[in-house]
Amino acid sequence: MADYTYTILIPLIPLFVFLFLGLLGHKMKPFVTGLIGSTGLGISAILSYATAYRYFIGAHVAGTGYTSIKGFEVVWLHLTEKLTIHLGVLLDPISVMMLVVVTTVSWMVHIYSIGYMKGDPGFYRFFSFLSLFSFSMLGLVLATNIFQMYIFWELVGVSSFLLIGYYYEKPSAVAASKKAFIVTRFADLGFLIGILMLSFNTGTFDFQTLTDPHGPAIASAGGAAFMGMSVLTWSLIFIFVGGAGKSAMFPFHIWLPDAMEGPTPVSALIHAATMVVAGVYLVARLFPVYALGAPDALMVVAWVGGFSSILAAVIACTQTDIKRVLAFSTMSQIGYMMLALGVSGYGGEEGLGFMASNFHLFTHAMFKALLFLGAGAVIHAVHSNEISGMGNLRKHLPITHITFLIACLTIAGIPPFSAFFSKDEILVAAFHSNKLLFAIEYIVAGLTAFYMFRLYYGIFWGKNTHYHHTPHEAPKVMTIPLMVLAFGSVFAGFIPFHNLVTSDGKGFESHIDWMIAGPSVLIGVLGIVIATVMYKKENALPNKVAGTFKHLYKWAHHKFYWDEVYLFVTRKIIFRYISEPIAWFDRHVVDGTMNGIAGIIQYAAYAIKGLQSGRLQQYAFVFVSGAVVLVLIFIYLV
């Protein structure tokens, strides 16, 4: 078997860059810090590509599929004979795939940021934080056990907090970073509870043991424990709660649109291709346990994904901030991935949904990172996030225009672009499992094409906006990553995922089902046509449509008031009826009791302090008096 010990360098290089730039970056020129950060991620990316090539070429065992390999592992904490925490590198099809995704997008973002963040006073700090996030995400992806994943899961949360709140002088950025951190902490509590339940029930944290079809996790399935579901089912539902929080699934989605307050490269890295798909990766990592041991938990995953995808798609149709349109698009596409996992079986063609979910994760990383970086190039040119302040930019930003159009065609599912292939597989899996979820995703396909071309026409066509200065194309350091990601968006769909990333590691036959794919393409084209009629040229039709569906438009524009619901529940119920009574009890009962005890002791101290006056005559008097009293008592008793 090939030696993969070197893979530990893939996450350690970004860690070293983080420490180096964090400590010494302020003494260097900005370009040097950007070059160091980009070079570090470039080396990690090249090592990842080499690992993927070696693994998929050399790790295949005839008849058994791709094996799971521990490239590196050490004991971190040895608590008891049965409780030992390991840190290491686990290589299997999904972790190797994620290595390529994370390092590729992170590398492109690092290069892009050299141009985008030029002149920023915190340049070195930004690149230091980017490297910290990359280290955290790679540590999560390569985790050999669920406890290691949880450690890096929380470190990813800290990294995103730092990057979302990078512009710390802006109150909105600070509020957004706190919102993301707090909301995901509630979800992560569910993750921790699930980990504890699962590990207690199975006696292990190790992924290889947990996902073994004949292992203790799946063997523990069955036996009603609470509300008709087993301990295994409940533990996996709690684990999914953590994944839903990190992936901005309903009802934890409220943090994602506000997180756009961070620099646009952060959105491309965290909120398109890496952190937000961590929830999908978590379910995929434990998929054999879900599919074979807890199908009820898998159905929860499917319905949460389906509802999240259509909710976000409807909201995206009404947003006017280009980054928030892309944020809700991300939520919708991740809903696709979750749904695909939820409707999947285990093994062979039964695992089509698992393969399709990971396939779409891969293609989505390319085109969504491209969309965010393209949006950054537009913002860089016009200094505005609002569609109303844009228009007719195709002549000023030719490279951004072409690459953005490629990404829009890709996400709309138009062949032969990559998302056509991955989305088709998801729709086929949904059709054979749940017709209602399949119908929902057909609707989402049309809405996706509509809102993306609404965005495209609003930026690059539409009215002739009078800009304060003539917009110009971004520098090459920003456009080259756009072209690389555009290449990936076009050709990633031709990767034979059905032979590489499957639920049981074994390949199976896959083909395009035109009975499902054909209507899906027509629905996407219909969405594009409607957007073209409404937004290619400035006209009154959008206002008429908004007026016709006045109430729906208002609710969708205000994100169905979920933020207001959370504020109401938090302030009017939790704070008023739970927090305030607890605070009163703490102040008046707990503090009052302690203060009362302290007061009594203080009073007693003042009362007897005269006994410690320091006067010898008084001490002699008390001593003699006490002796006389003792003698009298002795005489009396005798």
Side-chain angles (χ1 to χ4, degrees):
M1 185 179 292
D3 181 14
Y4 289 93
T5 307
Y6 71 90
T7 52
I8 190 62
L9 294 174
I10 297 175
L12 288 184
I13 291 172
L15 175 61
F16 172 76
V17 173
F18 158 67
L19 295 172
F20 183 77
L21 294 182
L23 295 173
L24 301 175
H26 63 286
K27 298 181 179 180
M28 304 175 188
K29 292 182 178 180
F31 179 77
V32 175
T33 61
L35 186 61
I36 292 173
S38 301
T39 302
L41 256 297
I43 295 171
S44 290
I46 292 169
L47 289 174
S48 297
Y49 302 152
T51 301
Y53 179 80
R54 293 182 70 199
Y55 179 82
F56 286 117
I57 296 300
H60 188 270
V61 179
T64 61
Y66 289 102
T67 56
S68 177
I69 301 168
K70 287 185 178 178
F72 179 87
E73 189 171 48
V74 294
V75 176
W76 181 51
L77 291 175
H78 185 79
L79 303 175
T80 67
E81 289 300 321
K82 291 186 177 181
L83 184 56
T84 303
I85 309 299
H86 294 81
L87 295 177
V89 171
L90 179 63
L91 299 174
D92 66 354
I94 58 171
S95 66
V96 173
M97 175 205 70
M98 285 297 291
L99 272 183
V100 174
V101 168
V102 174
T103 56
T104 299
V105 175
S106 184
W107 190 15
M108 294 300 104
V109 167
H110 273 73
I111 296 171
Y112 179 96
S113 298
I114 295 174
Y116 188 87
M117 301 300 291
K118 184 178 180 180
D120 190 276
F123 195 89
Y124 80 93
R125 178 167 55 90
F126 180 77
F127 275 87
S128 177
F129 289 166
L130 280 185
S131 295
L132 174 63
F133 174 82
S134 300
F135 160 69
S136 306
M137 192 67 203
L138 290 168
L140 186 158
V141 165
L142 294 171
T144 60
N145 60 82
I146 198 168
F147 200 88
Q148 179 186 340
M149 177 179 273
Y150 184 74
I151 293 170
F152 284 96
W153 189 275
E154 295 304 312
L155 193 54
V156 163
V158 172
S159 306
S160 68
F161 171 82
L162 295 172
L163 287 167
I164 294 169
Y166 174 76
Y167 296 125
Y168 59 86
E169 69 280 2
K170 289 176 57 179
S172 58
V174 174
S177 63
K178 291 192 293 185
K179 184 177 183 180
F181 192 77
I182 292 169
V183 171
T184 53
R185 290 295 71 69
F186 278 102
D188 291 351
L189 175 62
F191 187 18
L192 179 59
I193 293 171
I195 290 173
L196 296 176
M197 290 176 65
L198 181 64
S199 59
F200 181 81
N201 198 38
T202 61
T204 183
F205 293 120
D206 185 73
F207 280 132
Q208 287 182 325
T209 306
L210 286 171
T211 57
D212 182 355
H214 307 290
I218 297 166
S220 68
F226 180 66
M227 295 179 64
M229 290 192 292
S230 66
V231 173
L232 180 63
T233 301
W234 278 112
S235 64
L236 292 177
I237 289 175
F238 276 117
I239 287 173
F240 172 65
V241 168
K246 198 69 82 183
S247 291
M249 293 288 94
F250 176 85
F252 300 106
H253 64 284
I254 60 169
W255 67 266
L256 184 58
D258 287 11
M260 298 300 108
E261 290 290 339
T264 304
V266 170
S267 302
L269 178 61
I270 296 181
H271 308 125
T274 54
M275 189 187 86
V276 289
V277 297
V280 179
Y281 180 75
L282 173 62
V283 177
R285 168 56 68 207
L286 292 171
F287 184 76
V289 190
Y290 275 95
L292 299 176
D296 290 340
L298 208 55
M299 191 51 59
V300 172
V301 174
W303 280 103
V304 170
F307 182 77
S308 298
S309 66
I310 193 166
L311 174 70
V314 172
I315 295 174
C317 292
T318 64
Q319 299 303 297
T320 58
D321 182 309
I322 61 174
K323 289 176 67 177
R324 280 172 169 75
V325 173
L326 296 178
F328 283 107
S329 172
T330 298
M331 175 182 167
S332 182
Q333 295 300 304
I334 293 174
Y336 258 112
M337 301 173 207
M338 288 292 192
L339 181 147
L341 288 173
V343 299
S344 181
Y346 180 79
E349 294 186 7
E350 292 294 319
L352 176 63
F354 176 90
M355 184 279 291
S357 177
N358 285 281
F359 194 7
H360 199 58
L361 187 158
F362 188 88
T363 61
H364 176 265
M366 302 302 162
F367 66 73
K368 187 52 65 65
L370 174 57
L371 285 167
F372 269 113
L373 294 184
V378 171
I379 295 169
H380 184 266
V382 302
H383 307 295
S384 173
N385 287 28
E386 288 293 322
I387 301 175
S388 59
M390 302 172 189
N392 202 31
L393 286 174
R394 66 189 184 281
K395 298 176 183 178
H396 303 290
L397 287 71
I399 297 176
T400 302
H401 168 236
I402 295 299
T403 55
F404 200 92
L405 176 59
I406 289 172
C408 289
L409 290 169
T410 305
I411 193 174
I414 304 301
F417 299 98
S418 60
F420 162 74
F421 299 98
S422 57
K423 188 172 73 172
D424 171 63
E425 302 286 18
I426 292 176
L427 292 173
V428 171
F431 179 81
H432 291 296
S433 177
N434 189 306
K435 298 297 190 293
L436 179 55
L437 288 173
F438 167 75
I440 289 173
E441 295 315 309
Y442 250 24
I443 296 171
V444 172
L447 291 174
T448 301
F450 171 77
Y451 68 67
M452 284 310 307
F453 275 84
R454 168 181 175 266
L455 179 62
Y456 165 73
Y457 286 122
I459 297 171
F460 297 103
W461 293 77
K463 60 177 184 279
N464 291 309
T465 304
H466 296 288
Y467 299 103
H468 295 296
H469 61 279
T470 303
H472 58 84
E473 184 61 273
K476 289 184 179 179
V477 74
M478 295 171 63
T479 56
I480 289 175
L482 295 180
M483 290 184 279
V484 171
L485 291 170
F487 180 86
S489 299
V490 173
F491 294 105
F494 295 101
I495 297 174
F497 259 68
H498 57 279
N499 288 324
L500 301 176
V501 183
T502 59
S503 58
D504 59 356
K506 302 175 184 178
F508 60 88
E509 291 296 322
S510 178
H511 62 276
I512 299 174
D513 187 339
W514 285 106
M515 293 296 294
I516 293 174
S520 173
V521 172
L522 293 177
I523 290 173
V525 171
L526 179 62
I528 294 173
V529 170
I530 294 173
T532 303
V533 172
M534 293 178 67
Y535 298 104
K536 185 177 180 182
K537 293 182 179 180
E538 191 174 15
N539 59 74
L541 191 56
N543 291 332
K544 289 181 180 179
V545 173
T548 302
F549 300 97
K550 178 172 58 176
H551 297 296
L552 175 61
Y553 181 87
K554 180 181 177 182
W555 276 67
H557 183 69
H558 288 89
K559 297 168 284 190
F560 291 97
Y561 297 96
W562 279 108
D563 286 278
E564 288 76 6
V565 169
Y566 271 88
L567 286 174
F568 175 81
V569 171
T570 302
R571 293 176 178 175
K572 302 298 184 181
I573 298 178
I574 296 177
F575 286 0
R576 178 175 295 181
Y577 297 108
I578 299 177
S579 299
E580 289 183 7
I582 290 174
W584 183 91
F585 182 84
D586 181 62
R587 286 193 304 269
H588 295 86
V589 178
V590 177
D591 289 353
T593 301
M594 295 299 102
N595 292 336
I597 293 172
I600 292 171
I601 293 173
Q602 185 180 38
Y603 175 81
Y606 274 107
I608 65 173
K609 71 177 182 178
L611 296 177
Q612 296 291 333
S613 65
R615 291 180 292 180
L616 185 62
Q617 298 93 326
Q618 181 180 353
Y619 291 166
F621 174 77
V622 172
F623 176 78
V624 172
S625 299
V628 170
V629 170
L630 289 174
V631 170
L632 292 174
I633 291 173
F634 178 76
I635 294 172
Y636 176 79
L637 292 176
V638 172

